Amino acid sequence: MSGTTQQVWVDEAWNQALAKTRRNSARIGAEFPHASQGSKYVLEAPSWWTAGFWPGMLWQLYAGSGEGDVSLKAIAEDCEQRLDEVLDGYVKLDHDLGFMWLLTSVANYKLTGAEASRVRGLKAASHLAARFNLKGRYIRAWNPWREGEDNSGVAIIDCSMNTSLLFWASAVSGDPRYRHIAEAHMDTVLEHFIRPDGSVYHIVNFDPETGEVLEKRGGQGYAPESAWSRGAAWALYGLALAYHHTGKQSYLDASKQVAHFFITRLPEDHVPHWDFRAPGEVGEIRDTSAGSCAASGLLLLASQTEASEAHVYRNAALRITESLYRNYGTWDDDGEEGLLLHGTSNYPENRNIDVPLIYGDFFYVEALARIRDAGPFYWE
């Protein structure tokens, strides 16, 4: 593909995403969409883990379009202020503070220098650091969802992305403790989450008193030893980010390992199935959110490697992103709010299957921004 041909479809894709998001913003405003049902995004409480992706996408489009659309900026700022009730309320906070405050407060601070946003980001980082279990060297994932439940030993691969909040906090505060915790958690990811073939466990359950590994669970994948594709995307991107923040070769090597597993198992249209090892018809279900997240991570990975191998990651990311644009986009359907069709949120729990997902949309826009070199990127 020539550079001119690539530039044409990338610019088209960016402008389509920007136009649809502008239309969506008139209805959604400073709310928190998650999954599209009946062509409209269902709005969740500010405490839901996806609360950062809508404002994060607004910031990405605002920054990548010459910072001219002040209406998108205003909505993103309003979303950030609404999240104060969650941050100050404390009890509903879990490991997803990175997803929520990197894409709101850290984004705002990077773009505008707002002091209140810097403080919010540091508060969120402090709460995330407080979830670190010294014995198992992991950041605890969930709180108890129901009476009698004990999640104190649970860590999940998704948190690979959230550690960027800790790396950021160390950089802006000068306090290395946040970075030490982030590195300890990512070292645990290397030891217990990444299989030799580059596939990834979703959940590892530790004894919270001793740090002993008790079990490894399938979580949102088909089975404990299957290969949930979004988990692989979280891992390859999160490890590339950890390398960006630390320069530790082991993180880069593991990111490459997961990336090769991911790339070599893509179907003909380059958009992943929801689990690379799910059998039969179940295994044919796509997850565009895994594709868009992996594409953005692969573009970062390409920027970290020598030219002799960078093209492998960049070309894979371009193929995924172009396929998402041409084969899964909703540009001809003004009634559909989601940007990308065929996302799979949680197949084992039969929740939000074959629908647009806000995090899929966010990472798609972010991947386009990376291709266009239109940062900043809030994980970095």
Side-chain angles (χ1 to χ4, degrees):
M1 180 187 299
S2 69
T4 301
T5 302
Q6 175 185 302
Q7 190 64 47
V8 168
W9 77 257
V10 171
D11 288 345
E12 287 177 353
W14 179 267
N15 291 330
Q16 293 275 22
L18 178 60
K20 183 175 279 279
T21 301
R22 283 172 172 159
R23 292 195 300 272
N24 288 344
S25 67
R27 184 188 79 88
I28 295 173
E31 297 289 343
F32 302 99
H34 176 203
S36 177
Q37 297 286 354
S39 298
K40 302 296 181 187
Y41 265 120
V42 176
L43 307 178
E44 301 288 352
S47 58
W48 191 239
W49 75 275
T50 58
F53 289 105
W54 168 246
M57 187 165 68
L58 299 180
W59 280 122
Q60 201 76 68
L61 289 164
Y62 165 76
S65 300
E67 299 187 2
D69 198 328
V70 294
S71 66
L72 301 184
K73 174 178 181 285
I75 294 171
E77 290 174 328
D78 288 346
C79 287
E80 180 186 357
Q81 291 178 8
R82 287 198 60 197
L83 286 175
D84 283 349
E85 65 182 270
V86 186
L87 188 61
D88 296 335
Y90 179 74
V91 295
K92 293 185 178 180
L93 298 175
D94 61 15
H95 65 287
D96 282 323
L97 290 109
F99 285 138
M100 297 171 77
W101 278 276
L102 277 167
L103 304 184
T104 54
S105 296
V106 174
N108 194 351
Y109 177 65
K110 284 193 171 189
L111 289 169
T112 74
E115 176 61 15
S117 295
R118 186 183 76 91
V119 171
R120 287 184 179 108
L122 289 171
K123 287 170 67 175
S126 293
H127 288 315
L128 181 58
R131 300 185 70 83
F132 181 70
N133 184 308
L134 180 63
K135 291 294 186 180
R137 294 170 58 84
Y138 64 90
I139 295 172
R140 174 185 173 174
W142 302 299
N143 302 323
W145 286 330
R146 54 190 65 87
E147 186 175 353
E149 188 174 38
D150 181 8
N151 289 326
S152 58
V154 171
I156 64 175
I157 196 61
D158 317 40
C159 201
S160 301
M161 300 291 294
N162 290 310
T163 55
S164 284
L165 179 63
L166 300 176
F167 289 122
W168 170 84
S170 273
V172 300
S173 69
D175 188 335
R177 293 177 300 164
Y178 300 104
R179 174 170 47 81
H180 295 329
I181 290 171
E183 287 192 43
H185 178 85
M186 295 307 293
D187 288 345
T188 297
V189 168
L190 295 181
E191 183 176 1
H192 294 299
F193 282 84
I194 312 300
R195 302 186 185 103
D197 67 354
S199 61
V200 176
Y201 289 105
H202 182 198
I203 299 172
V204 177
N205 192 25
F206 298 86
D207 184 323
E209 296 292 343
T210 67
E212 177 189 0
V213 173
L214 300 178
E215 63 175 337
K216 298 182 178 183
R217 308 207 305 259
Q220 292 180 25
Y222 181 79
E225 296 299 325
S226 65
W228 179 46
S229 61
R230 194 164 66 250
W234 295 141
L236 78 86
Y237 198 168
L239 287 160
L241 287 166
Y243 174 73
H244 168 81
H245 288 293
T246 67
K248 287 180 66 171
Q249 186 67 34
S250 57
Y251 297 151
L252 181 63
D253 292 343
S255 180
K256 292 179 184 179
Q257 182 185 14
V258 179
H260 283 279
F261 176 86
F262 193 99
I263 293 168
T264 57
R265 283 154 181 83
L266 291 174
E268 289 186 3
D269 70 354
H270 310 293
V271 174
H273 300 114
W274 74 282
D275 189 308
F276 292 122
R277 292 190 180 122
E281 293 183 3
V282 171
E284 294 300 311
I285 298 169
R286 292 295 204 273
D287 181 15
T288 51
S289 75
S292 61
C293 178
S296 194
L298 287 165
L299 289 164
L300 174 61
L301 184 57
S303 73
Q304 298 169 329
T305 52
E306 298 293 333
S308 58
E309 56 182 332
H311 69 94
V312 173
Y313 308 122
R314 182 172 178 84
N315 289 344
L318 290 172
R319 289 192 297 268
I320 293 168
T321 309
E322 184 174 8
S323 183
L324 290 171
Y325 170 59
R326 298 191 186 282
N327 302 317
Y328 294 83
T330 63
W331 326 120
D332 297 328
D333 184 359
D334 289 342
E336 172 58 64
E337 289 183 337
L339 304 187
L340 299 178
L341 300 172
H342 307 308
T344 298
S345 174
N346 191 330
Y347 184 88
E349 293 188 3
N350 195 31
R351 286 195 284 122
N352 296 317
I353 299 169
D354 196 27
V355 297
L357 299 165
I358 192 62
Y359 41 92
D361 290 357
F362 167 83
F363 284 112
Y364 169 74
V365 168
E366 187 183 71
L368 291 172
R370 287 192 184 277
I371 297 168
R372 300 173 78 240
D373 196 23
F377 302 104
Y378 312 119
W379 318 96
E380 301 167 27

